[in-house]
Amino acid sequence: MDQKPQPLPPPHVLIFPLPLQGPVNSMFKLAELLCLSGLHITFLVTEHINARLLSYSNIQSRFSNYPGFQLKTIPDGLPEDHPRSGDKYMELFDSLKSKSKPFFKEMLTSCSPCDETRRPVKFIIADGYLGFTCDVANEIGIPIVYVRTISACCLWIFFCLPKLIEAGELPFVGDDLDTLIKSVPGTESFLRRRDLPGFCRSCDLNDENMRLYSKEGEENSRAHGLILNTFEELEGPILTHIRSVCPNIYTIGPLHAHLKTKLSKQTTSLAASSSSLWKEDRNCMTWLDSQPSKSVIYVSFGSIAKLTKIQLMELWHGLVNSCARFLWVVRPDSVVGKDWESQVPEEVKEGTRVRGYIVGWAPQEEVLAHSAVGGFLTHNGWNSTLESIYEGVPMISWPYFLDQQVNGRFMSEVWKLGLDMKDSCDRNIVEKMVRDLMEVRKEEFSKRAEDMAQWAGTCLSEGGSSYCNLERLVRDIESMTKE
Ligand code: UDP
């Protein structure tokens, strides 16, 4: 009797994010979206990240719902006692580049051959910073698509760095940071020197950041395509410029909301997913429940930024003096120096007891979605920016580094979603900005933020730009992995 051939299992994709909180968060959302589309996923993290996920996230139980998903680990090559803090990210990138490549190749080539339940990995989605993944993909003949978890507006500036150098705009001549930049097409009327990524202020063109980021245009066009966590309605004009260098772009963001939207259509409901690398303090949600609507400013500078004691005190005085209610994330490792707690003046402690709440790490997506939150004092990390945009929360930008300086300018000047406090951290300015956002210009910013949130929602619904681009990505993966 003739046996009917068994249908092949679905395509198997390997996802490899940068080992930092922001990229890990957004790539887990992408992994879950692809699982929902029926693909098999191997999610690769460093051993260090895996240990933190096991301690603080619910990734294991979350993904047990998807039999096609597996988590694998790779060494990052750093010594055990290395702090691996975000401010040492260059050491991390260098180590990954020089030490992890052989493990990565071995993992892909030693995979068990196709069995009845799982095919070998035939497609790679890796962070564009991990250029060695493209070398390996080319060596073994597997298609690769890069993913970038920064904003398109910053990526475009990276692409233009060689032009800025050629035009003599970099390094800066003189010290006026308000001079307009002319060599980044599409931004000539508003982008100042101070809005470029912070490393551009260095006079040294051999600076390690400058060397890394000025190769971005070349590097990104090596892959079959580029997945961006953004949406057309937000960054359309800039995306047109990026497409002149990398034509095949999949804008499928905001990823966290894309996943939420897809899951809301499922019959079974899942608990909120967390890929936190720190322990979340959920008591702040109860505190928020007892605050009036839109009365709280949420303050967080993400997973990498560090504050000096002076900056901490200026921010703290400013927040208390503004008389706004505030929920503030002060990560245990975020303040440089130790004994700051004993140096807080009594009136600041009292103002905090009455109107404030401080946590070490918050369930941020849920916080931003809470009706008591009316503003966000943020470093404008790209995930935080998108999370705020999706929930319609206006922002004050106090960027720390890299894309955040650019994002703050676009957020305030182009998207008109709030104020940019860049380069100042003075209690009087903090107080004024908080009052402006939460009281004086509240209506103006809220209206604008609500409109933008609506556009974000539209791009995720059936027929919307991010919805269609995700479908195209899945179709392209299927066609590029056909046996
Ligand atoms: N985040 C969080 N709790 C916090 C602070 C941040 O869950 O208390 C999450 C936040 O929702 C975001 C990520 O950490 O998804 C930070 O990423 P982002 O790109 O904004 O900044 P980075 O940490 O890379 O500087």
Side-chain angles (χ1 to χ4, degrees):
M1 211 169 74
D2 276 355
Q3 280 244 301
K4 253 191 156 173
Q6 289 289 315
L8 272 178
H12 184 180
V13 178
L14 178 124
I15 299 185
F16 191 10
L18 268 191
L20 297 171
Q21 178 74 81
V24 164
N25 278 0
S26 48
M27 287 306 92
F28 269 120
K29 312 287 180 190
L30 174 61
E32 198 167 342
L33 281 166
L34 295 181
C35 285
L36 285 168
S37 301
L39 304 185
H40 281 179
I41 301 295
T42 291
F43 198 91
L44 187 62
V45 290
T46 61
E47 288 159 357
H48 174 76
I49 293 287
N50 190 43
R52 310 253 322 240
L53 287 171
L54 287 176
S55 301
Y56 305 123
S57 78
N58 65 0
I59 285 303
Q60 280 202 318
S61 63
R62 175 77 176 195
F63 278 92
S64 61
N65 295 295
Y66 303 102
F69 177 90
Q70 61 179 358
L71 193 64
K72 288 217 166 181
T73 61
I74 191 168
D76 59 18
L78 289 171
E80 189 102 331
D81 60 350
H82 188 284
R84 292 173 174 81
S85 51
D87 53 336
K88 302 240 184 313
Y89 74 100
M90 272 296 180
E91 288 171 30
L92 186 61
F93 288 5
D94 286 345
S95 174
L96 280 165
K97 195 155 73 183
S98 60
K99 311 248 178 68
S100 304
K101 182 177 171 186
F103 292 99
F104 183 68
K105 186 166 182 181
E106 162 72 15
M107 212 200 78
L108 287 168
T109 47
S110 67
C111 265
S112 53
C114 183
D115 64 26
E116 279 146 37
T117 57
R118 193 183 284 280
R119 283 153 77 181
V121 168
K122 280 286 170 316
F123 198 93
I124 298 171
I125 295 177
D127 197 291
Y129 283 127
L130 305 171
F132 68 86
T133 56
C134 192
D135 302 337
V136 171
N138 290 341
E139 284 161 28
I140 61 180
I142 294 183
I144 182 166
V145 163
Y146 275 152
V147 62
R148 301 313 309 266
T149 55
I150 57 170
S151 57
C153 48
C154 183
L155 192 63
W156 177 232
I157 289 176
F158 287 160
F159 283 13
C160 293
L161 285 176
K163 242 199 265 176
L164 283 164
I165 295 169
E166 205 181 287
E169 292 199 273
L170 277 179
F172 301 157
V173 178
D175 53 11
D176 179 9
L177 289 177
D178 290 320
T179 303
L180 283 174
I181 294 291
K182 294 286 168 213
S183 311
V184 180
T187 68
E188 297 88 340
S189 63
F190 60 87
L191 194 76
R192 304 159 301 177
R193 286 175 172 177
R194 72 171 73 250
D195 306 316
L196 292 174
F199 64 82
C200 292
R201 296 183 192 187
S202 149
C203 301
D204 179 9
L205 291 184
N206 277 320
D207 171 85
E208 55 183 353
N209 283 290
M210 187 65 82
R211 278 193 281 129
L212 175 71
Y213 295 110
S214 52
K215 294 206 196 88
E216 288 270 352
E218 239 172 84
E219 182 56 50
N220 283 286
S221 44
R222 289 169 72 208
H224 282 83
L226 199 54
I227 298 172
L228 293 179
N229 187 11
T230 188
F231 55 106
E232 298 290 329
E233 291 72 2
L234 183 70
E235 295 197 275
I238 288 293
L239 288 162
T240 306
H241 290 289
I242 295 186
R243 285 191 174 98
S244 66
V245 185
C246 301
N248 188 24
I249 292 189
Y250 305 92
T251 45
I252 57 173
L255 276 162
H256 74 290
H258 203 151
L259 179 61
K260 259 191 220 165
T261 310
K262 281 264 187 306
L263 288 173
S264 67
K265 310 231 159 65
Q266 306 273 307
T267 43
T268 48
S269 67
L270 292 173
S273 89
S274 159
S275 43
S276 272
L277 305 178
W278 282 267
K279 187 170 167 42
E280 282 173 359
D281 182 344
R282 297 196 56 84
N283 291 330
C284 61
M285 299 309 294
T286 318
W287 181 80
L288 282 177
D289 287 343
S290 61
Q291 307 305 317
S293 168
K294 289 191 190 285
S295 68
V296 175
I297 180 150
Y298 171 59
V299 185
S300 164
F301 307 118
S303 62
I304 297 175
K306 288 205 184 255
L307 281 77
T308 62
K309 268 192 267 183
I310 295 176
Q311 288 172 328
L312 178 89
M313 288 305 164
E314 290 302 307
L315 286 166
W316 208 336
H317 276 280
L319 283 169
V320 167
N321 295 347
S322 76
C323 294
R325 295 157 203 259
F326 63 93
L327 167 60
W328 188 1
V329 178
V330 182
R331 252 182 23 250
D333 62 338
S334 65
V335 184
V336 182
K338 288 224 173 323
D339 49 344
W340 55 270
E341 274 156 283
S342 61
Q343 295 171 16
V344 185
E346 202 36 57
E347 75 272 15
V348 172
K349 281 192 195 153
E350 181 54 20
T352 306
R353 264 193 297 274
V354 178
R355 290 183 302 278
Y357 200 92
I358 296 183
V359 291
W361 192 253
Q364 181 166 302
E365 275 182 48
E366 285 177 67
V367 166
L368 287 168
H370 197 288
S371 58
V373 173
F376 186 8
L377 171 51
T378 168
H379 67 316
N380 271 136
W382 191 235
N383 290 286
S384 298
T385 306
L386 287 175
E387 287 158 12
S388 200
I389 286 177
Y390 183 71
E391 297 302 343
V393 177
M395 289 167 259
I396 298 172
S397 180
W398 190 57
Y400 179 64
F401 71 170
L402 287 178
D403 63 328
Q404 299 154 17
Q405 267 109 357
V406 185
N407 301 343
R409 186 62 169 171
F410 272 75
M411 181 281 289
S412 60
E413 207 57 27
V414 181
W415 308 323
K416 313 262 186 224
L417 297 173
L419 303 162
D420 192 358
M421 196 171 82
K422 174 175 292 139
D423 294 326
S424 44
C425 186
D426 166 281
R427 63 189 68 184
N428 296 323
I429 295 178
V430 176
E431 177 187 338
K432 179 167 184 342
M433 291 244 161
V434 174
R435 282 185 192 277
D436 279 353
L437 193 86
M438 301 297 287
E439 294 169 33
V440 184
R441 299 175 67 185
K442 183 176 178 151
E443 258 181 50
E444 168 197 342
F445 289 129
S446 295
K447 169 85 183 63
R448 183 70 196 158
E450 276 160 29
D451 288 349
M452 189 61 92
Q454 218 166 25
W455 290 332
T458 309
C459 80
L460 302 174
S461 50
E462 195 166 344
S465 56
S466 293
Y467 179 100
C468 293
N469 283 332
L470 179 65
E471 291 207 323
R472 181 167 63 86
L473 173 66
V474 173
R475 274 198 313 272
D476 288 353
I477 293 174
E478 284 166 348
S479 81
M480 279 193 253
T481 51
K482 265 215 174 86
E483 310 245 311

